[in-house]
mmCIF file of all heavy atoms in Angstrom:
data_model
loop_
_atom_site.group_PDB
_atom_site.id
_atom_site.type_symbol
_atom_site.label_atom_id
_atom_site.label_comp_id
_atom_site.label_asym_id
_atom_site.label_seq_id
_atom_site.Cartn_x
_atom_site.Cartn_y
_atom_site.Cartn_z
ATOM 1 N N HIS W 9 103.616 164.342 156.767
ATOM 2 C CA HIS W 9 103.032 165.572 157.375
ATOM 3 C C HIS W 9 102.414 165.204 158.656
ATOM 4 O O HIS W 9 101.378 164.466 158.660
ATOM 5 C CB HIS W 9 102.021 166.162 156.310
ATOM 6 C CG HIS W 9 101.524 167.468 156.773
ATOM 7 N ND1 HIS W 9 101.029 168.415 155.763
ATOM 8 C CD2 HIS W 9 101.355 168.137 157.905
ATOM 9 C CE1 HIS W 9 100.701 169.472 156.415
ATOM 10 N NE2 HIS W 9 100.848 169.291 157.688
ATOM 11 N N GLU W 66 106.563 172.742 158.221
ATOM 12 C CA GLU W 66 105.524 173.360 157.532
ATOM 13 C C GLU W 66 105.462 174.807 157.756
ATOM 14 O O GLU W 66 105.146 175.334 158.920
ATOM 15 C CB GLU W 66 104.111 172.669 158.038
ATOM 16 C CG GLU W 66 102.900 173.246 157.273
ATOM 17 C CD GLU W 66 101.594 172.663 157.576
ATOM 18 O OE1 GLU W 66 101.492 172.104 158.791
ATOM 19 O OE2 GLU W 66 100.657 172.722 156.855
ATOM 20 N N VAL W 76 99.072 180.353 153.396
ATOM 21 C CA VAL W 76 99.330 179.175 152.681
ATOM 22 C C VAL W 76 100.313 178.361 153.465
ATOM 23 O O VAL W 76 101.267 179.115 153.986
ATOM 24 C CB VAL W 76 99.700 179.510 151.231
ATOM 25 C CG1 VAL W 76 100.348 178.288 150.539
ATOM 26 C CG2 VAL W 76 98.557 180.123 150.480
ATOM 27 N N HIS W 77 100.329 177.072 153.447
ATOM 28 C CA HIS W 77 101.352 176.355 154.166
ATOM 29 C C HIS W 77 102.248 175.617 153.131
ATOM 30 O O HIS W 77 101.723 175.023 152.162
ATOM 31 C CB HIS W 77 100.655 175.309 155.029
ATOM 32 C CG HIS W 77 100.083 175.928 156.306
ATOM 33 N ND1 HIS W 77 99.295 175.296 157.215
ATOM 34 C CD2 HIS W 77 100.268 177.237 156.778
ATOM 35 C CE1 HIS W 77 99.034 176.098 158.237
ATOM 36 N NE2 HIS W 77 99.568 177.281 158.049
ATOM 37 N N ILE W 191 103.629 172.463 148.150
ATOM 38 C CA ILE W 191 102.378 173.146 148.643
ATOM 39 C C ILE W 191 101.430 172.164 149.415
ATOM 40 O O ILE W 191 101.057 171.110 148.989
ATOM 41 C CB ILE W 191 101.598 173.569 147.415
ATOM 42 C CG1 ILE W 191 102.423 174.626 146.639
ATOM 43 C CG2 ILE W 191 100.271 174.283 147.829
ATOM 44 C CD1 ILE W 191 101.768 175.234 145.421
ATOM 45 N N ALA W 192 101.267 172.539 150.691
ATOM 46 C CA ALA W 192 100.472 171.740 151.609
ATOM 47 C C ALA W 192 98.931 171.855 151.378
ATOM 48 O O ALA W 192 98.445 172.951 150.869
ATOM 49 C CB ALA W 192 100.677 172.035 153.061
ATOM 50 N N HIS W 193 98.184 170.789 151.498
ATOM 51 C CA HIS W 193 96.709 170.742 151.357
ATOM 52 C C HIS W 193 96.065 171.862 150.476
ATOM 53 O O HIS W 193 95.337 172.678 151.030
ATOM 54 C CB HIS W 193 95.992 170.791 152.678
ATOM 55 C CG HIS W 193 96.685 171.645 153.813
ATOM 56 N ND1 HIS W 193 96.676 173.075 153.625
ATOM 57 C CD2 HIS W 193 97.277 171.401 154.997
ATOM 58 C CE1 HIS W 193 97.307 173.611 154.628
ATOM 59 N NE2 HIS W 193 97.616 172.587 155.506
ATOM 60 N N PRO W 194 96.320 171.874 149.235
ATOM 61 C CA PRO W 194 95.914 173.035 148.319
ATOM 62 C C PRO W 194 94.398 173.271 148.409
ATOM 63 O O PRO W 194 93.898 174.392 148.114
ATOM 64 C CB PRO W 194 96.379 172.644 146.913
ATOM 65 C CG PRO W 194 96.727 171.210 146.926
ATOM 66 C CD PRO W 194 97.116 170.910 148.370
ATOM 67 N N ALA W 195 93.561 172.227 148.659
ATOM 68 C CA ALA W 195 92.108 172.415 148.581
ATOM 69 C C ALA W 195 91.599 173.283 149.777
ATOM 70 O O ALA W 195 90.408 173.648 149.767
ATOM 71 C CB ALA W 195 91.367 171.123 148.636
ATOM 72 N N ARG W 196 92.500 173.456 150.779
ATOM 73 C CA ARG W 196 92.003 174.287 151.982
ATOM 74 C C ARG W 196 92.019 175.724 151.748
ATOM 75 O O ARG W 196 91.540 176.535 152.661
ATOM 76 C CB ARG W 196 92.846 173.864 153.161
ATOM 77 C CG ARG W 196 92.671 172.467 153.627
ATOM 78 C CD ARG W 196 91.371 172.168 154.383
ATOM 79 N NE ARG W 196 90.224 172.245 153.554
ATOM 80 C CZ ARG W 196 89.562 171.515 152.691
ATOM 81 N NH1 ARG W 196 90.194 170.288 152.538
ATOM 82 N NH2 ARG W 196 88.569 171.779 152.120
ATOM 83 N N TYR W 197 92.541 176.309 150.742
ATOM 84 C CA TYR W 197 92.688 177.682 150.633
ATOM 85 C C TYR W 197 91.512 178.321 149.821
ATOM 86 O O TYR W 197 90.946 177.695 148.858
ATOM 87 C CB TYR W 197 94.034 178.070 149.802
ATOM 88 C CG TYR W 197 95.256 177.382 150.445
ATOM 89 C CD1 TYR W 197 96.102 176.550 149.619
ATOM 90 C CD2 TYR W 197 95.379 177.445 151.772
ATOM 91 C CE1 TYR W 197 97.135 175.973 150.251
ATOM 92 C CE2 TYR W 197 96.513 176.748 152.346
ATOM 93 C CZ TYR W 197 97.345 175.940 151.552
ATOM 94 O OH TYR W 197 98.405 175.302 152.176
ATOM 95 N N GLU W 220 100.935 168.436 147.875
ATOM 96 C CA GLU W 220 100.289 167.377 148.566
ATOM 97 C C GLU W 220 98.981 167.028 147.779
ATOM 98 O O GLU W 220 98.103 167.888 147.558
ATOM 99 C CB GLU W 220 99.891 167.807 149.938
ATOM 100 C CG GLU W 220 100.975 167.723 150.926
ATOM 101 C CD GLU W 220 100.663 167.990 152.375
ATOM 102 O OE1 GLU W 220 99.483 168.443 152.679
ATOM 103 O OE2 GLU W 220 101.477 167.886 153.278
ATOM 104 N N THR W 223 96.115 163.905 151.342
ATOM 105 C CA THR W 223 96.319 164.368 152.703
ATOM 106 C C THR W 223 95.108 164.083 153.493
ATOM 107 O O THR W 223 94.009 164.014 152.935
ATOM 108 C CB THR W 223 96.598 165.939 152.736
ATOM 109 O OG1 THR W 223 95.851 166.544 153.584
ATOM 110 C CG2 THR W 223 96.687 166.484 151.357
ATOM 111 N N SER W 225 93.591 166.225 154.970
ATOM 112 C CA SER W 225 92.749 167.402 154.754
ATOM 113 C C SER W 225 91.990 167.436 153.374
ATOM 114 O O SER W 225 91.466 168.459 153.069
ATOM 115 C CB SER W 225 93.619 168.740 154.767
ATOM 116 O OG SER W 225 94.432 168.756 155.957
ATOM 117 N N HIS W 226 92.225 166.315 152.609
ATOM 118 C CA HIS W 226 91.570 166.258 151.284
ATOM 119 C C HIS W 226 90.440 165.248 151.243
ATOM 120 O O HIS W 226 90.643 164.037 151.773
ATOM 121 C CB HIS W 226 92.524 165.992 150.181
ATOM 122 C CG HIS W 226 93.247 167.205 149.660
ATOM 123 N ND1 HIS W 226 94.195 167.177 148.722
ATOM 124 C CD2 HIS W 226 93.217 168.552 150.120
ATOM 125 C CE1 HIS W 226 94.793 168.349 148.549
ATOM 126 N NE2 HIS W 226 94.158 169.219 149.341
ATOM 127 N N ASP W 250 98.725 164.816 158.242
ATOM 128 C CA ASP W 250 98.482 166.088 159.024
ATOM 129 C C ASP W 250 98.011 165.801 160.353
ATOM 130 O O ASP W 250 97.232 166.482 160.959
ATOM 131 C CB ASP W 250 97.541 167.049 158.200
ATOM 132 C CG ASP W 250 97.823 168.485 158.579
ATOM 133 O OD1 ASP W 250 98.647 168.776 159.484
ATOM 134 O OD2 ASP W 250 97.129 169.387 157.997
#
Side-chain angles (χ1 to χ4, degrees):
H9 190 152
E66 182 179 21
V76 167
H77 286 169
I191 296 180
H193 44 62
R196 295 281 64 80
Y197 311 126
E220 279 185 353
T223 126
S225 314
H226 281 179
D250 207 358

